[in-house]
Amino acid sequence: MSKTYITTAIPYVNGAPHIGHAMDYCLADVYARHRRLLGDEVRLQAGVDEHGNKIFQKAQELGMPVEEYVAENARKFRDFIEKLGVSYTDFIRTTDLEHEKRCQEIWRRLSDHIYKAKYEGWYCSGCERFITQKEYDENSGICPDHQKPYEKLVEENYYLRIADFKDQIRAAIESDEMLVLPEFRKKEVLKLLEESPDVSVSRSTEQLTWGVPVPGDETQVMYVWIDALSNYITILGYPDVDISDWWPAAAQFVGKDILRFHAIIWPAMLIGLGLPLPKTLISHGFVLADGQKMSKSIGNVVDPIEVLDKHGLDAFRYYFLRHVDTFNDSDFTWEKFEKAYNNELANDLGNLVQRLATMAYKNGVKLDTEPSFGFDVEYTGLMDKFEFSRAFDYVWEKVQNVNKRIDDEKPWMLAKNGETEKLQECLKSLIVELLNVNYMLSPFIPNTTEKIFEVFTGEIEPPKTPLFPKQ
Ligand code: MSP
């Protein structure tokens, strides 16, 4: 049995989850379920990023002890992941003591590539990122993502010598040893890599105390990204445990805004530690609200819990995995969501199950043997390339084909004409086809597919309530 390790970005806990956060989880979960169907043993990591300025400041604004604040929000994220039906196996909080200790050991092991120098430049606490003068000038001193002026920093801190690793990282990306998807992002990161200076990896405790202490220097804590990126291996037990069964990860899912950290700093750390690079870095697009970035100040943030409570888990997963493109930005609007729910989930799939099960029930149809399932080549090809929204489109066409077959073959006419044997064969063959489509749908909408499987195996009975009641 092969072992597959899959990771998700760990969100900052400076607020409650929003619908954008669902993307990493949904995509990683689809891949995890797909690999399990293929027989792999899968570990799927999730967690929260609890250090850094942004979080510390937020807790202070609220007048809350920071430990309490992060604990409260970490709980919200964990609840959210559960509600999304994510089949995670590991959950990390970066304030876990074990994690902090392991980060310090990672730091020690990287020390040959770390040096101290004075940093004089810009910082964006929204991005938790050091900003080059070039970027500062291009953006006229204001972060386009957070609409906040960059902060001036003058402090002594530690640097990771990216120059030591550039050639190896470039070669790994160019040769696809570390496959960066989609292709257009690969070009972007190669350019960023060329321009990347050495990276500051600590902050002075005069500025920030809410971080993992740098070993052997009380005046410094680790830059939040060093601590955060390490989570992918500390959760496996590194460096206390041999992680070679699981590492390198088969797939690491990240948003487009944080690909740069995963394609430059993270590989540099791994090479410095003598560890292999992840096999694939998948960068997804953003969920927009009516074409606009979601932000609290615009007031267009959509609460994922509201969507989940109103329409249910699989309706949520359906929209975010099919209508939100895997690699590009896509829109969420209630109108689009409800249209997809009614026209596609309720009509195409819900009605299909209802009418096929009703006909089978009325005519005493039962499958003689448990059918065996398989993927077809096209589906597997798309799933292997992480083209999940396209794979979902592809399977949906198959759902529509079953509907079309019913319309063409008109089993009710066979019943009317008393062609019992033909009718039995026709319905059985439709059910087997639907169950095979159902199998391919199962990584996407697992609860629904489990119900459909139950309806059509053993004694067939139509569901008492529709799978997707019209809204
Ligand atoms: N803490 C870092 C990640 C550290 S990973 C070692 C971080 N946190 S975040 O909360 O800002 O973002 C978490 C994830 O959510 C990222 O993958 C980010 O791209 C994703 N998204 C945040 N807003 C999003 C949308 N509106 N749409 C889709 N994904 C978005 O970055």
Side-chain angles (χ1 to χ4, degrees), residues 9-12 18 20-21 24 49 225 228 232 255 257-258 284-287:
I10 50 173
Y12 293 119
H18 62 69
H21 289 131
D24 285 307
D49 191 354
W225 272 97
Y232 299 128
D257 55 330
I258 59 168
H284 60 79
F286 263 43
V287 183

Side-chain angles (χ1 to χ4, degrees), residues 98-110:
E98 283 287 275
H99 167 76
E100 295 193 0
K101 278 199 297 204
R102 288 173 178 158
C103 276
Q104 289 177 319
E105 185 51 32
I106 287 174
W107 180 284
R108 282 188 203 103
R109 291 183 184 205
L110 289 173

Side-chain angles (χ1 to χ4, degrees), residues 164 219 268 308 320 359 447 457:
D164 291 352
T219 69
L308 282 162
F320 285 91
M359 284 189 280
N447 284 8
T457 45

Side-chain angles (χ1 to χ4, degrees), residues 49-101:
D49 191 354
E50 300 192 358
H51 288 125
N53 247 337
K54 178 155 71 172
I55 290 166
F56 189 73
Q57 282 167 3
K58 198 67 203 269
Q60 282 202 318
E61 271 167 42
L62 296 170
M64 268 175 96
V66 65
E67 293 82 358
E68 220 174 89
Y69 176 68
V70 293
E72 187 180 302
N73 279 331
R75 213 169 308 119
K76 287 186 191 156
F77 273 92
R78 197 163 184 162
D79 289 349
F80 177 50
I81 296 171
E82 298 269 337
K83 257 193 139 156
L84 271 181
V86 178
S87 57
Y88 69 100
T89 54
D90 298 83
F91 187 88
I92 188 164
R93 294 181 57 190
T94 54
T95 51
D96 291 342
L97 208 59
E98 283 287 275
H99 167 76
E100 295 193 0
K101 278 199 297 204

Side-chain angles (χ1 to χ4, degrees), residues 288-291 302 319 331-338:
L288 306 173
D290 229 347
V302 180
Y319 189 87
D331 233 9
F332 173 92
T333 65
W334 280 103
E335 197 189 335
K336 283 186 187 163
F337 183 89
E338 276 155 13

Side-chain angles (χ1 to χ4, degrees), residues 8-14 18-25 45 48-50 54-55 77 126-128 146 224-225 227-232 253-259 261-262 284-289 293-294 324 329-330:
T8 57
I10 50 173
Y12 293 119
V13 288
N14 61 329
H18 62 69
I19 53 171
H21 289 131
M23 286 313 293
D24 285 307
Y25 302 136
Q45 155 280 11
V48 278
D49 191 354
E50 300 192 358
K54 178 155 71 172
I55 290 166
F77 273 92
C127 303
E128 293 288 15
H146 298 94
V224 62
W225 272 97
D227 149 31
L229 290 163
S230 303
N231 98 83
Y232 299 128
F253 290 88
V254 299
K256 63 175 184 179
D257 55 330
I258 59 168
L259 178 63
F261 301 96
H262 288 81
H284 60 79
F286 263 43
V287 183
L288 306 173
K293 191 178 149 68
M294 262 178 279
V324 171
D329 293 352
S330 308

